[in-house]
Amino acid sequence: MVKHQPLQVYEKQVFVSFVTGIYGCRWKRYQRSQDDSSRWECIWFLILCSSFLLLLFWAYFWLVAQNDFNEFNWSVYNRSGEWRDETIPILASTTVGFSYITFLLILALFHISLGQQLNLYWVHKIGVLATLVTTISGVVSVDDIWGDEWDILLVSLQSTAPFLHIGALATVTAISWLVAGYVVRRDRSNFQVMVLLIYIIILLAIYLAPLTFTCPCIMDRHSLKPRPDIIGRRGAPMLAPENTMVSFNRALQHGASSLEADVTISVDGVPFLMRDRTLRRTTDVSKVFPGRQFDDASFFNWTELRSLNAGQWFLESDPYWTVETLSAKDRSRIGNQSVCSLVEMLRLAARANSSALLNIRKPPAEHPRYRSWFMDTLWAVQKAGISQKRVTWTPDTDRGRVRGLQQTTTEKLSLRSERGVLTCIFPSSREYLANNVSVTVYPVNEPWLYSTLWCSGVPSVSSDAPQVLRKVPYPICWNHCLVWNYILAMVCICVCCNRWRMSGMQNYNPEQIMLSAVVPRPSRDVNIMKEKLIFSGAALTTFAPGRSKLPDQLL
């Protein structure tokens, strides 16, 4: 009889197998290695980090650009001619890509901490490259279609910077124990030194970042300027079809102090409200006049325009995902809307003691009313019975003919040439406000942006969502108390995570090997990896016939 005695007993390493298996398809112990990662794998790790940072920037951009989703869809519509909500596939692909890259990066960091060799599986390499190329293509496309929107990133940091800083601080502090475990456990190598230097540089940059923060809402409550007036941009287009009577009524019901509309002149000289060059998106012109659906809206007469339905498209396309919140009565009313004339809108504003902001689109040169569009619009203002002092319009031309009316411009002109009211894109508002120029910022649909502009002293904003902004009683900002809580949170995060790191380093041993000279204790968590026969004396003993007793050392 021969007695077996174990040489080595290994504990199961489920977590290590999980990390190396998903990251590099190395599920077995013999497939893993603790050698230094190759240069190519280090390059792939850098590509993975770059993809994560680019996707983080991309995801943050779309998070703050939610304020202008409808503007993006409209820009795409003007290029393609088809109205679709292009933000849905973008948000879905961004969520999937960011989750995938983040998960791989976490696995790579655990590889470094556990001392395992980086070996990204080839399928993941293809996925990382595909995600990186797709994101770069998206950035280039947005820059081409919607380049002005990048400015919102700088504005958003005035509101989100402290919270982003807390998140970044918590992240680098949590990663510190992984970096420390990788650097302290093993002999020094060039890659380890590079990882440590990069971590120190990132840590210093994050700790010094608050020196660059600027937030207009850090002020005494008593120095806060009056609440900005809300202009209903095309009415309340989230609740009803844009540029219709029901939309303007909804805007006034939700506290809008003024109404904004897009004006086009018909072929018979009637000013009517239409944003697009054609009637395809917001009317049923393809059914009523199928051969003229691509014609300029200004080449229709008022009788033809009045025969079109201007509300059913809203119920079918649901551009703001709000149709489900409407009652059956509201849907019925919306479905029967027709093209609205300028006179109807101005009369509504006059009855509500409100003002109006008109964006007038000049007819093309071949239009019959090309030379008389100004008088047609002025006639409509006078017919509506509204005070001319409460009417503002663009473009900023024909100042000598505009008497009693205020004019505005959407162009960023020099301050010396500006007079009266200025409607501008928000990044330039602070410059004009400092020179006593009245500013209306558009579009403003999110409470955080409205709060930032409120603290900046902007007198009015133009919004697609007056029903949302009216619920902001006070600027959403971080005041003095929140600043101190913010500093306290940073200290607590540093202390707690560093204590966790130190305790983790003392108890951590990823490759526990038990050496034993006795029979192993029964356990479901223990696997006998190797066994060795122990003989006494020579390596091989020959027993005489009939002898049944084993050497004493084996008994």
Side-chain angles (χ1 to χ4, degrees), residues 510-537:
E511 293 282 354
Q512 294 183 358
I513 300 176
M514 300 173 59
L515 300 179
S516 176
V518 296
V519 178
R521 295 182 297 272
S523 173
R524 288 184 301 177
D525 297 329
V526 176
N527 245 345
I528 301 177
M529 305 300 295
K530 292 182 180 180
E531 293 183 347
K532 183 178 182 180
L533 292 176
I534 302 178
F535 298 93
S536 63

Side-chain angles (χ1 to χ4, degrees), residues 132-153:
L132 182 61
V133 171
T134 303
T135 306
I136 294 175
S137 301
V139 172
V140 173
S141 299
V142 167
D143 186 67
D144 179 48
I145 300 174
W146 207 25
D148 292 338
E149 190 65 14
W150 297 120
D151 295 332
I152 199 174
L153 293 173

Side-chain angles (χ1 to χ4, degrees), residues 307-319:
S307 66
L308 299 175
N309 184 292
Q312 193 62 36
W313 72 273
F314 181 83
L315 300 176
E316 295 174 355
S317 62
D318 194 9

Side-chain angles (χ1 to χ4, degrees), residues 100-281:
Y100 173 66
I101 295 298
T102 302
F103 183 60
L104 287 181
L105 182 60
I106 292 175
L107 293 179
L109 293 176
F110 275 120
H111 269 73
I112 296 175
S113 175
L114 297 172
Q116 295 293 326
Q117 186 183 55
L118 291 172
N119 187 17
L120 186 63
Y121 193 46
W122 65 269
V123 174
H124 291 321
K125 292 179 179 179
I126 296 176
V128 171
L129 283 180
T131 304
L132 182 61
V133 171
T134 303
T135 306
I136 294 175
S137 301
V139 172
V140 173
S141 299
V142 167
D143 186 67
D144 179 48
I145 300 174
W146 207 25
D148 292 338
E149 190 65 14
W150 297 120
D151 295 332
I152 199 174
L153 293 173
L154 297 178
V155 178
S156 68
L157 291 178
Q158 297 181 10
S159 177
T160 62
F163 306 104
L164 293 176
H165 188 248
I166 290 178
L169 183 63
T171 301
V172 296
T173 308
I175 294 176
S176 64
W177 71 276
L178 294 173
V179 177
Y182 173 70
V183 172
V184 173
R185 278 182 60 252
R186 307 182 59 190
D187 297 334
R188 296 291 184 271
S189 66
N190 293 334
F191 184 69
Q192 288 172 289
V193 174
M194 182 182 67
V195 170
L196 182 61
L197 288 178
I198 293 176
Y199 177 79
I200 292 176
I201 292 173
I202 295 176
L203 188 64
L204 290 176
I206 291 177
Y207 272 99
L208 295 177
L211 298 177
T212 64
F213 290 173
T214 57
C215 180
C217 290
I218 303 180
M219 62 170 65
D220 190 343
R221 188 187 186 98
H222 300 288
S223 60
L224 183 65
K225 294 186 177 181
R227 179 191 183 97
D229 294 331
I230 300 175
I231 300 174
R233 192 167 184 243
R234 306 178 185 94
M238 290 187 179
L239 304 177
E242 63 184 44
N243 286 321
T244 60
M245 289 300 293
V246 64
S247 180
F248 293 121
N249 273 297
R250 287 294 181 85
L252 294 174
Q253 292 171 4
H254 288 90
S257 61
S258 182
L259 301 176
E260 179 183 351
D262 305 289
V263 182
T264 302
I265 310 299
S266 69
V267 73
D268 51 353
V270 178
F272 66 97
L273 308 185
M274 185 61 55
R275 181 187 187 186
D276 301 348
R277 188 188 66 83
T278 68
L279 301 170
R280 293 178 61 241
R281 182 175 68 91

